[in-house]
């Protein structure tokens, strides 16, 4: 495309504008009322630009939230693995707590959760596209800890993940307590007591 | 009141009709759009009848949900205490799982949660009027288990309660797994591992 000096940078700018518009609109009007037309108008692009990259409204909205949850600098979703499960989980949970306490993150995720609760189809999409890949990354770290003898071999890792993350999620959702580094540490300590080898 | 053969029964019928109307309307239109007028119309009573018992819309809505969560037959909120914390918690968590899996219960509570997430004032009311009294009852049972040497003395009981209930809450809210008696038992087993004395 010789007409544009740097088409890939221009494309990336459009893509980011579309993802930001989708996030903003879900926060403002709810998932049910977000249209491709509204996303295109907000992002300052044509509908055809959106359809070049995504096949549906659901696909673009989920990429918008996925971008928010991804690990920085394209490092994928792998959790840190220094060989010390306690140190690694405290690092991850402190970062997760800070993320949930950050207004820029928590607004859109709160809006997404409102929609998920009352929409079983959206809940299924959320599980498949957002929660499941993250859970796989977390379980890979727990399996590594099992191999290192730091977590009991027979532990149900799906249940273990709920034990580690659901308390934070509920506290954030219901605003029922402070979200602090101390809270993250206490949660990891209690979690490790539940899953460590006998 | 000699004009009515049984005024107290008639009052109780009105009261129950008002609570049912409030629950239904929150499920149908959301908390923000429920009015005292609409509750009165749905219940077939006058507005003044509602104001005789409740001072605000928030008060009647919360009593409606409170009535749903209360232990049967006016037995108060105390958890069973046979002296065996494992057996008692499995009984309670199996019942709680069954309740969340029951459409008659889960519809209104899902609607309430949708509202709570985006409304900090409502979240505060929910904590104070619904969650806090229930949490106190649960903590009383955990304290009894501490005295019996079944739960470690230094355990943070607020965090412990999150560990026990939040996994179930999140699984229900996100429809991310089956709600079965086996799940209730596995959750209690893992919880007790986390809090038992060293």
């Amino acid at each position: 495309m010789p007409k544009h000096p740097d088409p890939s940078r221009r494309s990336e700018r459009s893509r980011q504008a579309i993802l930001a518009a989708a996030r903003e609109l879900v926060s403002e009007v709810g998932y049910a009322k977000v249209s491709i037309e509204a996303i295109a108008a907000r992002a300052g692009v044509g509908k055809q630009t959106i359809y070049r990259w995504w096949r549906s409204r659901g696909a673009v909205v989920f990429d918008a939230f996925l971008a928010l949850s991804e690990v920085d600098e394209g490092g994928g979703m792998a959790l840190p693995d220094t060989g010390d499960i306690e140190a690694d989980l405290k690092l991850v949970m402190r970062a997760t707590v800070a993320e949930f306490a950050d207004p820029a993150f928590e607004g859109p995720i709160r809006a997404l959760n409102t929609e998920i609760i009352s929409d079983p189809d959206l809940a299924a999409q959320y599980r498949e596209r957002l929660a499941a890949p993250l859970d796989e990354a977390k379980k890979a770290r727990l399996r590594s800890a099992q191999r290192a003898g730091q977590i009991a071999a027979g532990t149900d890792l799906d249940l273990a993940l709920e034990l580690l993350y659901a308390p934070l999620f509920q506290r954030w959702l219901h605003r029922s307590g402070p979200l602090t580094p101390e809270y993250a540490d206490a949660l990891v300590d209690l979690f490790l007591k539940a899953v460590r080898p006998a």
Side-chain angles (χ1 to χ4, degrees), chain A:
Chain A
M1 296 181 197
K3 274 188 287 183
H4 301 297
D6 191 344
S8 72
R9 186 181 293 176
R10 187 160 168 269
S11 279
E12 183 55 24
R13 242 189 347 252
S14 293
R15 215 180 71 89
Q16 291 302 330
I18 292 164
L19 294 175
R23 269 197 301 275
E24 289 166 19
L25 285 166
V26 169
S27 299
E28 288 168 21
V29 304
Y31 177 75
K33 291 184 188 150
V34 174
S35 64
I36 288 279
E37 286 77 6
I39 296 171
R42 170 79 58 112
V45 303
K47 272 173 63 173
Q48 73 284 4
T49 305
I50 298 183
Y51 282 120
R52 194 187 310 155
W53 289 312
W54 294 279
R55 63 190 166 81
S56 70
R57 176 181 73 134
V60 61
V61 166
F62 270 87
D63 272 358
F65 285 100
L66 214 54
L68 209 59
S69 293
E70 266 165 6
V71 174
D72 299 340
E73 281 131 35
M77 287 183 177
L79 267 61
D81 192 348
T82 66
D84 179 344
I85 186 69
E86 181 184 334
D88 290 350
L89 285 185
K90 284 184 176 172
L91 188 75
V92 167
M93 294 308 284
R94 279 172 172 242
T96 307
V97 162
E99 198 175 48
F100 275 109
D102 175 359
F105 174 90
E106 85 104 44
I109 295 293
R110 204 171 278 281
L112 181 66
N113 269 285
T114 307
E115 303 294 329
I116 283 171
I117 292 171
S118 40
D119 185 337
D121 290 341
L122 194 65
Q125 277 199 56
Y126 169 82
R127 273 201 311 283
E128 188 188 323
R129 300 211 48 216
L130 238 170
L134 282 168
D135 283 354
E136 276 313 309
K138 295 165 188 168
K139 280 193 276 188
R141 181 64 191 89
L142 298 185
R143 269 185 224 108
S144 163
Q146 283 181 313
R147 286 191 297 272
Q150 296 169 342
I151 288 182
T155 306
D156 176 338
L157 295 185
D158 289 301
L159 182 58
L161 273 191
E162 288 182 347
L163 213 69
L164 181 58
Y165 282 88
L168 163 59
F169 173 73
Q170 181 186 270
R171 180 178 280 225
W172 166 73
L173 202 73
H174 283 168
R175 307 171 205 260
S176 51
L179 296 175
T180 60
E182 293 72 29
Y183 175 66
D185 289 355
L187 188 53
V188 171
D189 286 337
L190 207 56
F191 166 76
L192 287 176
K193 230 186 128 195
V195 298
R196 71 186 172 196

